Amino acid sequence: MAVELHTETEDEYFTIQEINQLLQNLSEADIFRLKEIAGRYIRHSLMEADDLFHDAIVAIASGDRTFKREVPLIAFFAGTMKSLASNEKRKRQKFIAIGDESADENIDIEKNAIADQELEEIYKLFEKDTDVETLLIHKLDELTPSEICEKENWDKTKYNAVNKRLRRALNKRFPNGREI
């Protein structure tokens, strides 16, 4: 008889009531920032930024998504919007490709070419900033901020400063969001 061990505790996640309280406490600045992020994620989809923002509120408030306490609300909210927008784009691409199997291949080839070009531009942006390069590598490895700090012997202040440089440079270089 196999026994599953659960190492996660219920305290690791916010309850629906706590999540709803966090959502109610969003400042106008937070809402403005989240709507800007939504605007970046809706590229190549049929959604409007406000629709994406509201869909994310519904998904979060309903408890459809598990929300770990260690994750900042804005980051969780942005991740939820990114996921919803990505799903919408995928649905749209499947709809376009109905009856034409070569359309999927063309979309993938074009998407990969754009992604490669953007990745090259991003590397050039940070070729003289080893801290940001290090952060990017760890993010690609899907390390958490705590893991990155531990691995690089950074404190939270340094992590936040490096992450801020990364965000600002990307927002300056890609003011309308990235293609992929």
Side-chain angles (χ1 to χ4, degrees):
M1 179 171 142
V3 176
E4 287 186 36
L5 295 176
H6 293 284
T7 57
E8 300 169 346
T9 65
E10 289 182 23
D11 291 341
E12 284 187 72
Y13 299 95
F14 286 107
T15 65
I16 291 176
Q17 292 80 15
E18 290 172 321
I19 292 170
N20 286 320
Q21 187 61 51
L22 288 171
L23 290 173
Q24 289 175 2
N25 291 338
L26 283 171
S27 69
E28 287 184 32
D30 291 336
I31 292 170
F32 179 80
R33 183 172 170 206
L34 287 167
K35 286 186 176 184
E36 278 189 333
I37 293 168
R40 290 185 209 129
Y41 288 148
I42 60 161
R43 292 189 78 173
H44 304 294
S45 79
L46 299 175
M47 296 182 83
E48 295 291 327
D50 281 342
D51 292 337
L52 178 58
F53 175 77
H54 291 292
D55 286 355
I57 288 175
V58 170
I60 293 169
S62 67
D64 283 349
R65 310 216 171 211
T66 55
F67 182 5
K68 284 192 169 191
R69 292 181 185 277
E70 67 190 39
V71 178
L73 176 61
I74 301 298
F76 180 72
F77 205 114
T80 300
M81 289 191 297
K82 183 176 183 178
S83 174
L84 292 170
S86 177
N87 289 340
E88 176 64 28
K89 287 178 197 174
R90 199 172 312 117
K91 287 179 194 174
R92 182 170 176 245
Q93 287 174 344
K94 284 182 182 178
F95 178 76
I96 290 171
I98 290 176
D100 181 8
E101 291 183 17
S102 65
D104 272 344
E105 290 177 23
N106 292 339
I107 290 170
D108 288 343
I109 291 168
E110 180 182 341
K111 190 173 167 181
N112 289 340
I114 292 168
D116 289 345
Q117 181 182 359
E118 286 182 354
L119 191 58
E120 188 175 321
E121 288 181 50
I122 290 169
Y123 279 124
K124 284 181 184 177
L125 272 175
F126 302 111
E127 64 189 355
K128 294 181 181 171
D129 192 332
T130 57
D131 286 338
V132 173
E133 283 183 334
T134 300
L135 179 63
L136 282 169
I137 290 167
H138 290 317
K139 284 186 175 220
L140 285 172
D141 290 337
E142 298 181 358
L143 295 181
T144 66
S146 300
E147 291 170 332
I148 294 170
C149 288
E150 183 179 327
K151 194 167 198 141
E152 295 303 321
N153 199 24
W154 292 352
D155 60 14
K156 199 67 170 169
T157 303
K158 178 162 183 174
Y159 174 85
N160 289 336
V162 173
N163 200 36
K164 191 180 226 180
R165 284 199 314 267
L166 170 63
R167 278 195 330 267
R168 284 186 174 166
L170 289 176
N171 287 339
K172 185 176 179 182
R173 173 58 192 93
F174 301 103
N176 297 318
R178 296 187 317 276
E179 289 288 323
I180 302 298

